[in-house]
Amino acid sequence: MPALATRSTSGTTAFHESLSSRLAAEFLTVPPGTVDRCVADVRACTEHLGVEATPEVVERVAREHLLAIVNSAPPPRSPR
């Protein structure tokens, strides 16, 4: 089975950069590098699955992944 690409080389980096910065501004608790990697991973996965990697599709799936990251964080510890 072929390995999944770690970074998409086809297409526009402007779309990737604008989407990453928009999502990073929305998810302030997630490090920008993680947001960038999420967008790249989603784009690579959609292309691997044969789905057209439109900005709308990539943004929707990346947002769901980032929401899962935020919602899976443990609650803050309260002082005893």
Side-chain angles (χ1 to χ4, degrees), residues 3-25:
L4 200 62
T6 57
R7 175 111 23 214
S8 175
T9 56
S10 65
T12 60
T13 57
F15 135 64
H16 176 90
E17 290 172 0
S18 69
L19 181 55
S20 291
S21 63
R22 189 167 54 247
L23 288 173

Side-chain angles (χ1 to χ4, degrees), residues 12-70:
T12 60
T13 57
F15 135 64
H16 176 90
E17 290 172 0
S18 69
L19 181 55
S20 291
S21 63
R22 189 167 54 247
L23 288 173
E26 185 176 337
F27 294 94
L28 296 174
T29 59
V30 180
T34 302
V35 174
D36 188 56
R37 194 168 46 254
C38 179
V39 170
D41 289 349
V42 168
R43 184 174 173 124
C45 286
T46 56
E47 290 173 350
H48 175 75
L49 293 172
V51 177
E52 184 179 353
T54 64
E56 294 80 18
V57 169
V58 174
E59 182 174 3
R60 184 179 302 166
V61 176
R63 181 174 279 111
E64 289 297 321
H65 285 200
L66 293 167
L67 279 171
I69 290 171
V70 169

